[in-house]
Amino acid sequence: MTERATFYYDFNSPYSYLAAERISGLFAEAELEQPEWQPISFGHLLKTSGRRPWSFEDDRGADFAEIQRRADERGLPEVRYPDGWPIENYSLNPIRAATYAKESGRVVSFSLACFRQVFAAGRDMSELDNVLIAAAACELHPNAVTKGMETKSVKDKLRAATDEAIERGVEGIPTVAVGDELFWGDDRLEEAVAAASST
C-alpha cells in the first residue's frame, strides 16, 4: 500500500500551474494513486514564514524565461500574467472556490480550469466572473460557487488546510508531500513520484 501524496498549491504561482498540468500524468504513469489536491493560501504562508518569493523581486527575468521554457517544452500555450501580478490582484476567491469544488469532488477539474484562466489567458482571478468561468468549465453552478465561497465552513477548511501545511513544514508552492518528505518545486515532481513508489 503506497502513501498517498498531497499536492499543495495556490493559483498565484506559475510554477504551481506547470506542476498542475503534469502531476496527474506522472502519478498515473507510475501506477500510483492520484495525489490529493489541496489548495492553500500562499499569502498566509508567506506571512508566517517571512519569506520573500522571487515574484516580488524587480529582477524576475530569469524565472520568467525558465517558466516559458518549461511551458514550451511541454506544449503549453504562451504563459501570460494578469495585470498587476503577483501582488495587486492576489485574491482568496479562487482558492476558496477550489475548496468548495473539493467538497463537490471537482477540485482537480476546477483547479486546472482556474490555472488556465490565470496563466494561459492572463485573467485576473480577483474578479469573481473569471472564477465563475472556471467553475462553469467543470459544471459547477455559478450561484452555488458564489455562495459556497462565502460560507464559514469553506473559509474554515481553507484556513485549516493552510495551517496544516505550515505545521507539516511547507514553505513554498508547489509542494508535494509524501509522508514526512516534502518536495518543493515543479522540478521535483519526479522525486515525489519516486518517493511515493517506494513507500
Side-chain angles (χ1 to χ4, degrees):
M1 185 74 180
T2 58
E3 172 87 31
R4 189 183 185 196
T6 303
F7 171 44
Y8 294 105
Y9 60 95
D10 189 342
F11 298 106
N12 214 38
S13 162
Y15 285 110
S16 289
Y17 160 61
L18 293 173
E21 288 286 359
R22 69 195 193 101
I23 190 169
S24 294
L26 289 174
F27 274 78
E29 288 169 15
E31 299 182 344
L32 293 169
E33 181 182 10
Q34 285 293 312
E36 176 186 2
W37 286 48
Q38 183 57 67
I40 60 173
S41 170
F42 188 41
H44 184 62
L45 194 71
L46 290 176
K47 286 179 183 176
T48 302
S49 69
R51 193 175 61 79
R52 183 177 174 85
W54 69 269
S55 56
F56 287 16
E57 303 297 343
D58 292 331
D59 183 13
R60 305 180 292 185
D63 275 279
F64 284 143
E66 177 61 18
I67 289 161
Q68 190 58 56
R69 185 193 68 77
R70 294 184 195 186
D72 291 342
E73 189 178 76
R74 299 167 195 175
L76 297 172
E78 179 182 354
V79 180
R80 300 176 63 187
Y81 299 85
D83 291 340
W85 180 90
I87 300 170
E88 290 176 20
N89 49 21
Y90 180 74
S91 172
L92 292 174
N93 282 347
I95 48 174
R96 284 178 178 166
T99 303
Y100 172 79
K102 188 171 182 177
E103 292 180 344
S104 308
R106 297 182 186 177
V107 68
V108 176
S109 56
F110 171 81
S111 295
L112 286 170
C114 194
F115 272 124
R116 290 164 186 167
Q117 285 285 305
V118 180
F119 293 111
R123 293 200 172 105
D124 180 352
M125 301 310 277
S126 67
E127 296 181 13
L128 180 59
D129 284 351
N130 290 332
V131 177
L132 297 181
I133 290 170
C138 58
E139 300 181 345
L140 284 168
H141 195 283
N143 290 343
V145 174
T146 303
K147 290 179 182 176
M149 287 165 53
E150 293 305 318
T151 62
K152 185 176 185 297
S153 66
V154 162
K155 292 177 181 178
D156 286 349
K157 283 180 182 177
L158 175 58
R159 189 176 299 110
T162 304
D163 288 343
E164 186 267 343
I166 292 167
E167 289 171 12
R168 203 168 182 176
V170 173
E171 295 183 1
I173 52 172
T175 289
V176 180
V178 181
D180 293 331
E181 291 188 88
L182 300 176
F183 301 90
W184 174 10
D186 162 67
D187 56 348
R188 298 195 68 202
L189 295 189
E190 287 82 359
E191 291 179 57
V193 169
S197 297
S198 66
T199 57

